[in-house]
Amino acid sequence: MALKDYSDEFKADAVALYESTPGATYKSIAADLGINRATLREWVLRDRERRGVPAAAARPPAQPAAVASADPDERVRRLEARVAELEASERKLATERDILRKAAKYFGGRDELVISRFQFVDDHRATYEVKRLCQVLDVNRSSYYKWLAGAEARTARKREDMVLAEQIRQVHGESGGAYGSPRVTAELREKGHVVNEKRVARVMRMFAITGIRLRRRVRTTVPDPATSPVDDLFQRDFTAVEPGLKYMGDITYLPLQGGKFLYLATVLDCFSRKIVGWSIADHMRTDLVADALRMAAGTRGSLDRAVFHSDHGAQYGSRAYADLCDQLKVTRSMGAVGTSADNAACESFHASLKRETLQGGPDYGDATTCRRTVFAWLTRYNTRRRHSTNGHISPDEYERRHHTAKLTLAA
């Protein structure tokens, strides 16, 4: 039989069975339990060593024969009683061996925490006494009956979990496979379902509904040592009290087939995390980030007196980009050199984009497919994708509610 891991409880029961069976051999007990003879012998010797019993010590000897009685009839009665006692003991041990053998097959290769021992008792109660089953499996009989009384409730909960799983799959599919339990919960609640996030997470784990992990990184930040220093006006505070006050941007790679890349530059509003500008190109020249900033100015109408934060990439530190910021009346801000945490919000945004669009794949394919895929995600990100920073509503909806609240207060 192939080697496998056995629980400490199973090992202890196997050793106890061998030690308590008069005349039994390693081979016979191992065959009953469906394990290797050498494995059982090793368990027995190890247990004897733990108890300080010599390895060669025999099992408890059988009871000595009763002293011969002078009365032949009395001697026969004693022998018959002893035979009856041994037969009863043998029946008990045979039953226990049978239960353990079936339990070994029942739980073999599976997790006892998932396949309940109570379920084993219930499955075999027609063959053996419940009391004996509980004794052999070391479970409390009253606890078993309590578990049995809750069978109807468990069945109902299982049906409800299956219904919820279908609702989760629908939301998960609509998100392109991107949403985890917090966003799925928010979506379900908006649709009128009363549901707890912990339950959603449990059902997602149970039915293997999960997100996708990002795998590799490519360096896109190459500082220019000749650029003039720019202060860090954010100090890792990526929040804002109003739209249009603080923006942040970065460049990320978009892998194509054949080891090629496109590059994406983005501009995000710190208030709602809305992406107000972006540019995709097959290069990382200053034009890439300049086009993204120009789009942001067109989206907002003006970037006058806004602050734009970036890393120390050469594109953001170029003279041409500084002139564009002056033209648009934008104040520049930069984090420390080589510290990704100073632009963490943008890093997180790009990680989400690639995780949800690549979906575990190595690349986007050709450049046309890449542009189309990323464009679709960026637009959906603003209009529909729920953002945890916004209380799990989309950036557009978050800004709409903010403006509505301002008008209400003004009135």
Side-chain angles (χ1 to χ4, degrees):
M1 180 177 178
L3 293 177
K4 61 170 73 174
D5 292 331
Y6 296 91
S7 67
D8 292 339
E9 183 178 0
F10 182 89
K11 295 177 183 178
D13 288 340
V15 170
L17 181 61
Y18 171 79
E19 296 283 26
S20 62
T21 305
T25 64
Y26 288 124
K27 182 177 179 180
S28 63
I29 297 296
D32 286 340
L33 297 178
I35 62 177
N36 186 278
R37 173 191 174 280
T39 300
L40 176 62
R41 181 175 181 275
E42 181 184 351
W43 294 348
V44 171
L45 296 179
R46 191 180 301 165
D47 181 73
R48 289 178 179 177
E49 182 181 357
R50 179 184 60 79
R51 292 186 288 115
V53 177
R59 284 162 289 172
Q63 295 293 329
V67 178
S69 173
D71 184 353
D73 291 338
E74 177 64 21
R75 183 182 179 188
V76 169
R77 283 194 296 272
R78 289 184 179 181
L79 290 174
E80 288 176 344
R82 178 59 180 160
V83 169
E85 179 184 344
L86 291 174
E87 288 177 344
S89 177
E90 177 62 26
R91 285 194 299 272
K92 178 181 178 182
L93 291 172
T95 300
E96 291 180 352
R97 282 198 304 270
D98 196 28
I99 292 172
L100 287 171
R101 184 168 57 249
K102 291 181 178 180
K105 294 179 181 178
Y106 189 89
F107 294 114
R110 294 182 288 182
D111 189 346
E112 287 189 47
L113 297 176
V114 178
I115 309 299
S116 170
R117 281 182 282 179
F118 290 150
Q119 186 65 57
F120 178 86
V121 173
D122 200 53
D123 290 344
H124 295 82
R125 61 184 300 186
T127 307
Y128 309 102
E129 293 180 340
V130 170
K131 179 180 179 181
R132 180 59 52 80
L133 285 164
C134 290
Q135 287 175 341
V136 173
L137 294 178
D138 193 26
V139 297
N140 190 291
R141 198 169 13 146
S142 62
S143 298
Y144 162 70
Y145 285 116
K146 183 177 180 181
W147 173 86
L148 191 62
E152 185 175 345
R154 285 195 303 277
T155 301
R157 186 163 57 249
K158 184 176 180 180
R159 288 196 299 266
E160 292 170 357
D161 284 348
M162 292 179 69
V163 172
L164 178 59
E166 287 304 312
Q167 296 168 346
I168 290 173
R169 284 194 184 99
Q170 182 179 353
V171 172
H172 192 253
E174 290 173 353
S175 73
Y179 281 3
S181 58
R183 292 188 176 94
V184 168
T185 303
E187 189 76 25
L188 290 173
R189 286 174 178 170
E190 186 165 295
K191 292 182 177 182
H193 301 289
V194 179
V195 64
N196 183 280
E197 183 184 331
K198 290 183 178 179
R199 185 183 174 206
V200 171
R202 175 179 61 80
V203 172
M204 290 181 72
R205 285 194 302 270
M206 182 185 304
F207 290 88
I209 305 172
T210 184
I212 298 137
R213 297 291 181 268
L214 196 61
R215 292 186 295 180
R216 60 172 181 158
R217 297 173 61 88
V218 170
R219 186 184 185 200
T220 55
T221 302
V222 181
D224 183 351
T227 58
S228 301
V230 177
D231 292 336
D232 183 356
L233 304 180
F234 270 35
Q235 297 297 318
R236 301 187 183 180
D237 178 9
F238 304 108
T239 63
V241 296
E242 289 281 341
L245 297 180
K246 296 169 64 178
Y247 296 97
M248 51 189 169
D250 199 2
I251 301 173
T252 192
Y253 74 98
L254 303 173
L256 305 178
Q257 60 189 7
K260 298 180 180 179
F261 297 95
L262 291 181
Y263 299 92
L264 169 70
T266 51
V267 179
L268 280 77
D269 192 305
C270 291
F271 174 75
S272 62
R273 295 298 197 271
K274 178 174 181 174
I275 179 166
V276 294
W278 72 82
S279 177
I280 300 175
D282 59 0
H283 61 79
M284 287 198 299
R285 296 191 294 271
T286 302
D287 289 346
L288 177 69
V289 295
D291 288 345
L293 191 65
R294 290 190 185 97
M295 179 179 176
T299 300
R300 287 306 196 192
S302 172
L303 299 181
D304 191 7
R305 292 190 297 276
V307 177
F308 176 80
H309 183 81
S310 69
D311 58 26
H312 274 265
Q315 302 86 350
Y316 293 111
S318 68
R319 183 68 264 171
Y321 192 76
D323 290 343
L324 177 62
C325 288
D326 291 341
Q327 177 185 336
L328 297 175
K329 299 181 180 179
V330 173
T331 301
R332 290 189 298 157
S333 168
M334 286 186 177
V337 176
T339 306
S340 60
D342 287 349
N343 206 20
C346 270
E347 297 271 357
S348 175
F349 170 81
H350 288 153
S352 296
L353 182 153
K354 284 186 278 190
R355 181 176 63 248
E356 296 177 14
T357 54
L358 282 172
Q359 299 189 356
D363 56 63
Y364 291 96
D366 57 52
T368 301
T369 301
C370 177
R371 289 176 182 274
R372 184 171 60 245
T373 301
V374 173
F375 171 80
W377 189 88
L378 292 173
T379 53
R380 188 181 184 281
Y381 170 89
N382 282 339
T383 58
R384 295 191 56 192
R385 186 183 182 278
R386 297 178 180 275
H387 203 298
S388 57
T389 304
N390 299 341
H392 291 298
I393 59 177
S394 69
D396 279 356
E397 177 64 16
Y398 190 69
E399 291 194 2
R400 187 192 66 78
R401 294 186 186 185
H402 173 75
H403 291 312
T404 301
K406 282 186 62 177
L407 291 174
T408 301
L409 290 174

